Amino acid sequence: MQIATVLRALDGALIVAYCDVDLARAEQAASALDARPFTDFADFLASADAVVIASPIPAHAAQVEAALATGIHVLCEVLPCSTIAEARSLVRAVRGSRATYMLAENFCFLGEVELVQQLRAEGLFGEVYYTESDHLLDICDLWRTSNGLLAWRGTRDHGVSCTHRLDPLLAIVDDRIA
């Protein structure tokens, strides 16, 4: 729902649909956005020119490929895929589509990253020749569903978001990496 705030601020962007596998969540979110609720992804795609994929990571690659195959523009949260095979398939789908694909990584816009970027730009670190990063995020409360079942975040089959570690460093050093 946070992305909805950004989309509403864009000229020409109109939120027309919201998709979730849980009908109650889809209806609640769609109502708040003045949009149509969907639980079927194919039906959802038929209602839009562009989509934001913010579903669980294990669904990203298939959903991105489905959207691109129908000519729909895609903004997808990280991670876009969980395996090398999915990555290769995603690259083929992007190259084979006329639609635009964009990976959404926002950790370079965190306040602490922007502060360090400014300090570096002011020359307060001298010449930067080495950087290192880690990404710690306490999401233990998201490992299980409300009924106690293990959620997708509680498994290890969704990859590791190296972009949350790398992207801030690239922003700080002006995309210089060796």
Side-chain angles (χ1 to χ4, degrees), residues 62-86:
Q63 290 176 336
V64 168
E65 289 185 34
L68 291 173
T70 59
I72 294 174
H73 305 296
V74 177
L75 173 68
C76 182
E77 288 188 343
V78 295
L79 293 171
C81 45
S82 300
T83 67
I84 296 296
E86 282 182 351

Side-chain angles (χ1 to χ4, degrees), residues 15-147:
I15 301 171
V16 297
Y18 186 93
C19 185
D20 194 304
V21 294
D22 182 295
L23 179 60
R25 279 195 313 243
E27 288 175 340
Q28 180 182 18
S31 176
L33 298 169
D34 195 26
R36 290 182 54 205
F38 288 89
T39 56
D40 182 84
F41 192 70
D43 291 342
F44 168 70
L45 289 179
S47 71
D49 300 319
V51 295
V52 175
I53 305 292
S55 55
I57 289 172
H60 285 183
Q63 290 176 336
V64 168
E65 289 185 34
L68 291 173
T70 59
I72 294 174
H73 305 296
V74 177
L75 173 68
C76 182
E77 288 188 343
V78 295
L79 293 171
C81 45
S82 300
T83 67
I84 296 296
E86 282 182 351
R88 289 182 175 135
S89 182
L90 183 61
V91 168
R92 283 192 299 275
V94 170
R95 289 180 177 161
S97 177
R98 290 181 161 188
T100 299
Y101 167 77
M102 183 175 177
L103 177 66
E105 171 55 77
N106 59 7
F107 272 67
C108 61
F109 301 108
L110 295 175
E112 57 269 26
V113 174
E114 290 182 341
L115 173 62
V116 174
Q117 187 177 24
Q118 178 184 345
L119 295 173
R120 182 198 160 267
E122 292 173 6
L124 297 175
F125 299 133
E127 181 184 349
V128 177
Y129 60 90
Y130 176 82
T131 60
E132 188 172 320
S133 176
D134 203 348
H135 173 71
L136 304 174
L137 187 60
D138 182 7
I139 58 166
C140 293
D141 58 325
L142 300 176
W143 288 2
R144 297 199 174 270
T145 63
S146 58
N147 59 4

